[in-house]
């Protein structure tokens, strides 16, 4: 009996390590990157402006700090899916955006953006526009569930002190194309 408990514990431990490893390697997966590229192209399909994007994806920990609606949404997700989403959100690494994924874009680091605000008080957005041609955006690493048919995605944009916003939304892939399902929060200023 004691040996079967040990074996069960060992199996469970190895399974958990394997699950963690697969989530941590998510952004290295060709399938994940292909799905991400397809989703981002769809997301930006009607926007022809040149994109200035922060290289480091938005932090899920920061996104969810004051926005817990997503991980409590039992109208869309089962309890098991909510737990899966929570575990993925806690473990997914930052995604490094590049211009291979996002054509017609300028990729800047968070540090570059932060320097504009450190060096100038009220003119930071004007300085950013002068250097890059527009404001900037930040995207999260997308979370795909249900065999990549649902996507949870965060984006924000900053074009001035009084022009910006962001949203955390759920999308569904139907007939090969993504559609908006619901927003967990949206803000504009």
């Amino acid at each position: 009996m004691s040996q079967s408990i040990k074996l069960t514990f060992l199996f469970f431990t190895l399974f958990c390590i394997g699950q963690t490893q697969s989530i941590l390697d998510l952004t290295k997966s060709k399938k994940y990157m292909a799905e991400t590229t397809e989703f981002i192209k769809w997301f930006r399909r009607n926007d022809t402006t040149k994109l200035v994007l922060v290289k480091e994806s938005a932090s899920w920990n920061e996104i969810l700090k004051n926005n817990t609606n997503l991980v409590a949404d039992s109208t869309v997700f089962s309890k098991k899916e909510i737990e899966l989403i929570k575990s993925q959100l806690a473990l997914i690494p930052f995604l490094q955006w590049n211009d291979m994924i996002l054509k017609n874009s300028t990729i800047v680091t968070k540090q570059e953006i932060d320097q504009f605000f450190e060096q100038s008080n009220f003119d930071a957005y004007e300085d950013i526009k002068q250097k890059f041609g527009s404001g900037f955006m930040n995207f999260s690493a997308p979370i795909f569930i249900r065999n990549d048919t649902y996507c949870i995605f965060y984006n924000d944009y900053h074009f001035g002190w009084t022009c910006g916003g962001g949203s955390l939304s759920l999308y569904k892939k139907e007939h090969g194309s993504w559609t908006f399902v619901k927003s967990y929060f949206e803000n504009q200023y």
Side-chain angles (χ1 to χ4, degrees):
M1 182 72 163
S2 174
Q3 189 170 10
S4 66
I5 291 173
K6 287 178 185 177
L7 285 174
T8 302
F9 177 75
L10 178 62
F11 173 76
F12 180 73
T13 302
L14 290 173
F15 175 78
C16 289
I17 290 169
Q19 292 299 310
T20 301
Q21 186 62 40
S22 66
I23 293 168
L24 289 173
D25 289 344
L26 192 60
T27 58
K28 295 177 184 170
S29 158
K30 286 182 182 180
K31 181 179 183 265
Y32 175 82
M33 293 312 293
E35 194 65 43
T36 296
T37 301
E38 178 190 324
F39 176 79
I40 296 297
K41 284 180 182 177
W42 173 84
F43 184 78
R44 299 234 342 123
R45 71 198 176 284
N46 296 324
D47 191 349
T48 57
T49 60
K50 185 172 182 179
L51 174 66
V52 177
L53 182 68
V54 177
K55 180 178 184 175
E56 302 84 5
S57 64
S59 162
W60 278 109
N61 289 335
E62 290 298 315
I63 294 165
L64 295 176
K65 225 179 238 182
N66 298 313
N67 304 291
T68 58
N69 296 345
L70 169 67
V71 292
D73 186 0
S74 60
T75 62
V76 175
F77 305 113
S78 68
K79 286 182 182 182
K80 188 175 181 180
E81 287 175 321
I82 290 172
E83 290 307 312
L84 175 66
I85 292 166
K86 284 180 184 178
S87 69
Q88 286 186 6
L89 293 176
L91 296 173
I92 194 166
F94 283 99
L95 180 64
Q96 298 285 311
W97 296 109
N98 63 54
D99 54 10
M100 297 295 288
I101 295 173
L102 298 153
K103 305 288 185 210
N104 194 31
S105 61
T106 299
I107 308 296
V108 299
T109 65
K110 184 177 180 326
Q111 183 180 6
E112 286 177 274
I113 296 296
D114 290 347
Q115 285 176 349
F116 282 101
F117 291 97
E118 290 169 6
Q119 293 170 0
S120 66
N121 294 330
F122 198 72
D123 295 334
Y125 285 108
E126 286 303 315
D127 294 342
I128 290 169
K129 287 178 192 174
Q130 280 184 347
K131 180 162 183 175
F132 300 114
S134 83
F136 61 95
M137 295 184 79
N138 198 355
F139 294 161
S140 70
I143 300 292
F144 298 102
I145 60 170
R146 294 188 190 168
N147 296 321
D148 300 336
T149 59
Y150 281 82
C151 178
I152 302 163
F153 184 67
Y154 171 82
N155 76 96
D156 60 41
Y157 57 94
H158 310 271
F159 295 108
W161 293 108
T162 60
C163 181
S167 67
L168 174 62
S169 301
L170 177 66
Y171 300 88
K172 182 179 182 180
K173 193 180 219 180
E174 295 180 305
H175 310 293
S177 183
W178 291 100
T179 57
F180 173 82
V181 175
K182 71 185 291 185
S183 181
Y184 293 97
F185 80 87
E186 279 189 59
N187 66 345
Q188 293 183 339
Y189 55 91

